[in-house]
Amino acid sequence: MKRWVWTESYTAWAFMAPGLALIAVFVFWPIIYGIPLSFTDYSVISETHYVGFDNFVTAFHDKNFLISLWNSLLYVIIVPIIQIISIMMAILVNGKIPGVKIFRTAYYIPVVTSMVAVALIWSWLLSNNGVVNFFLLKLGLINDQVAWLSTSSTALFVLMFITMWKGLGYYMMLYLAGLQGIPSDLYEAARVDGASRWRVIWSITIPLLRPHILFCTLISLMGAIRVFDEVYILTKGGPGTSTLTSSVYIFQKGLEQFNFGYASALGLIVSILVGVLSVLVFRFNQKGGVNPY
Amino acid sequence: MSATLRPKKSIAGIRLAVVYVLLLALALFMMGPFLWLLSVSLMPGKNVFSNPPAILPTFIDFDNYVKVWQFMNFPKYIYNTVVITALGVIFNVILAALTAYPLATFRFKGRNLVFTLLIATMVIPSSTAMIVHYLTIQWLHLTGSFLGVVLPSAVSVFNIFLMRQTFLGIPSDVRDSGKMDGASEFRIWLQLVLPLVKPAIAVISLLEMMAFWNNFLWPIVVLDDPQKYPLAAALTFLNGQFSYNFGWIAAGTMISVIPIITVFLFTQRYYMEGIAGAVKG
């Protein structure tokens, strides 16, 4: 019997060895190695020295880094907006009406497409002589063409809009899964009691979606703070530093200027920040922050 | 629902009409940009910034597609993308299935520890990972190779988690019967268990196919030669070089997007079930 248990454990490790080895190298190692790296001035050009907390001191005096942190925090505005819109979308496509599946698919297409393609399309649509300005002018919503992506005051919000537009379908799908798990007799009971449509949504749907709301909030929160692709492709942080988000700044320091030590320190700071924010979201949810009861 | 609404049939009709209007407006919002790109790609020589902007094609012509295809060496980029995507999918499916199997069915010391450690990594954010990945790939002498592109995301904790959930649902009789027949653990896994988890394999394949197909940044970082770029990375290149030739860029972008959308359309049922299942799990 003892021998059999040993064999089973031996086989288990043999099965897991390739996967765990790769995870060790590409998941655990970056977490472990990033920490000592952030206390050095490691770069490809010169010798490496231990520099203590220098990188961290520099970081908090680095105006661009502080701006990038602020921009990343500002980006978080989209998180609640995404939840509200995608929950409404999910409720809309949850009905059993003919053709609704085609709409679900249509809303999901932006999720499947590459950010490179999405960014290109929106950069054209939003340019000076683009379609968006054309329609907004026609509707009289703006008086002059707006260079949405090259104006400091609008660029970050435009990027937020694109991030949101691309992600809505994904969150809609997750909420839809949640909606379909809600037993229909709860709705029947509410209807018998004469509850209004909004009342039903507010008192039954939203509370029962809570696990999904928590999950989606966390995912979109991390996504918002880590946002990279759309910013990198469309504005590279510009104009000026108006769209410089922390990921883009870390990428510039690390993989464009090869300042690995400093970039690692910045990464560590952002990681801690994300960790703290995630814990706060968890707490908020546990304490009933979104609990409408 | 219908029982309570039957007396007020007209109100139900109006309500349904409102729902359809909302659905259509939303569809225009989500799909409009793609349809417009398609339209631009079919209008040769048109400037997207002309006033008023060209929105609907007055005639349909595939000239842009022909020209950009001849110019861009698309077969090469498609080949690169397919190789990278195939490698990525194969690695992910095999490694997730191998790693998750003992975690779901075997009893061994350290099982819970391994599982907890894996789950913990899903919570930890990893902004610096790319820098360390670059150093690792360099150390392994894999810069410039497709393997270097694929390896950092060859196995994901998320996939292992998804696979484990599926394996947990398989009755232990399957493994026992295999043992009775004297099959090795590996043969049981390969020939008895894997065929039972085809839906999970499909989901992982689709998720990873989309991720690898659309990935542009890491390939640019790892690959030294633009000739080795996958489509998404090559497009950023084309965009920079020919920013004035809108029709070409639009056609090139359509070419890169069509395969993945097609795959999605044909497999969306599994895909969406898998996405939904991942949250419930």
Side-chain angles (χ1 to χ4, degrees), chain B residues 75-110:
Chain B
K76 176 81 183 146
Y77 292 122
I78 292 172
Y79 168 80
N80 296 344
T81 318
V82 169
V83 172
I84 290 173
T85 306
L87 273 178
V89 169
I90 292 168
F91 268 122
N92 269 287
V93 167
I94 294 177
L95 291 174
L98 272 176
T99 316
Y101 182 58
L103 288 173
T105 50
F106 286 23
R107 261 177 298 128
F108 63 96
K109 221 177 166 184

Side-chain angles (χ1 to χ4, degrees), chain A residues 193-214:
Chain A
D193 289 348
S196 73
R197 199 161 276 245
W198 288 107
R199 174 82 206 185
V200 170
I201 291 177
W202 194 246
S203 305
I204 297 178
T205 313
I206 303 289
L208 287 170
L209 276 183
R210 260 184 75 181
H212 291 80
I213 295 174
L214 178 64

Side-chain angles (χ1 to χ4, degrees), chain A residues 37-84:
Chain A
L37 208 57
S38 60
F39 291 96
T40 69
D41 61 357
Y42 186 68
S43 68
V44 275
I45 29 172
S46 58
E47 242 181 281
T48 306
H49 307 278
Y50 171 76
V51 294
F53 283 93
D54 278 11
N55 286 331
F56 295 92
V57 174
T58 313
F60 285 109
H61 289 95
D62 183 345
K63 209 176 144 213
N64 284 346
F65 176 61
L66 296 177
I67 291 171
S68 78
L69 268 187
W70 173 244
N71 285 337
S72 290
L73 282 177
L74 213 56
Y75 224 95
V76 171
I77 303 172
I78 62 169
V79 174
I81 304 175
I82 286 177
Q83 313 315 317
I84 294 169

Side-chain angles (χ1 to χ4, degrees), chain B residues 64-135:
Chain B
N64 287 324
Y65 287 85
V66 176
K67 290 236 173 82
V68 82
W69 185 275
Q70 281 163 353
F71 176 80
M72 266 269 281
N73 199 3
F74 264 100
K76 176 81 183 146
Y77 292 122
I78 292 172
Y79 168 80
N80 296 344
T81 318
V82 169
V83 172
I84 290 173
T85 306
L87 273 178
V89 169
I90 292 168
F91 268 122
N92 269 287
V93 167
I94 294 177
L95 291 174
L98 272 176
T99 316
Y101 182 58
L103 288 173
T105 50
F106 286 23
R107 261 177 298 128
F108 63 96
K109 221 177 166 184
R111 184 173 93 152
N112 290 333
L113 180 71
V114 171
F115 192 63
T116 316
L117 271 178
L118 289 181
I119 293 298
T121 64
M122 289 175 81
V123 188
I124 299 167
S126 51
S127 348
T128 39
M130 206 186 275
I131 291 165
V132 183
H133 284 170
Y134 181 73
L135 297 174

Side-chain angles (χ1 to χ4, degrees), chain A residues 58-260:
Chain A
T58 313
F60 285 109
H61 289 95
D62 183 345
K63 209 176 144 213
N64 284 346
F65 176 61
L66 296 177
I67 291 171
S68 78
L69 268 187
W70 173 244
N71 285 337
S72 290
L73 282 177
L74 213 56
Y75 224 95
V76 171
I77 303 172
I78 62 169
V79 174
I81 304 175
I82 286 177
Q83 313 315 317
I84 294 169
I85 301 181
S86 54
I87 288 176
M88 293 198 299
M89 280 167 74
I91 292 174
L92 190 64
V93 298
N94 191 32
K96 282 196 182 77
I97 54 173
V100 77
K101 279 190 179 165
I102 296 169
F103 289 106
R104 283 182 203 163
T105 308
Y107 304 161
Y108 204 83
I109 298 275
V111 182
V112 191
T113 328
S114 69
M115 192 45 101
V116 174
V118 164
L120 172 94
I121 301 176
W122 280 105
S123 75
W124 284 357
L125 285 171
L126 288 161
S127 61
N128 264 352
N129 287 308
V131 177
V132 171
N133 274 334
F134 175 76
F135 278 118
L136 290 180
L137 280 170
K138 276 245 155 147
L139 292 169
L141 291 171
I142 50 171
N143 298 319
D144 260 317
Q145 287 181 344
V146 181
W148 298 99
L149 278 162
S150 40
T151 308
S152 302
S153 55
T154 54
L156 190 68
F157 295 100
V158 169
L159 290 175
M160 289 179 187
F161 168 80
I162 294 171
T163 307
M164 192 190 78
W165 177 83
K166 189 173 190 299
L168 280 177
Y170 179 73
Y171 298 105
M172 175 199 75
M173 233 44 192
L174 294 178
Y175 284 122
L176 185 66
L179 287 180
Q180 296 187 336
I182 297 175
S184 59
D185 39 328
L186 279 178
Y187 288 118
E188 304 279 326
R191 219 161 266 124
V192 170
D193 289 348
S196 73
R197 199 161 276 245
W198 288 107
R199 174 82 206 185
V200 170
I201 291 177
W202 194 246
S203 305
I204 297 178
T205 313
I206 303 289
L208 287 170
L209 276 183
R210 260 184 75 181
H212 291 80
I213 295 174
L214 178 64
F215 183 82
C216 293
T217 304
L218 279 174
I219 297 224
S220 51
L221 178 73
M222 293 195 185
I225 294 185
R226 277 193 210 169
V227 66
F228 181 87
D229 290 7
E230 46 272 58
V231 186
Y232 185 76
I233 302 169
L234 284 169
T235 64
K236 294 229 157 66
T241 52
S242 57
T243 62
L244 191 67
T245 58
S246 48
S247 306
V248 172
Y249 192 58
I250 293 171
F251 185 82
Q252 285 176 353
K253 286 286 160 197
L255 291 161
E256 281 177 3
Q257 298 167 18
F258 295 105
N259 216 332
F260 293 135

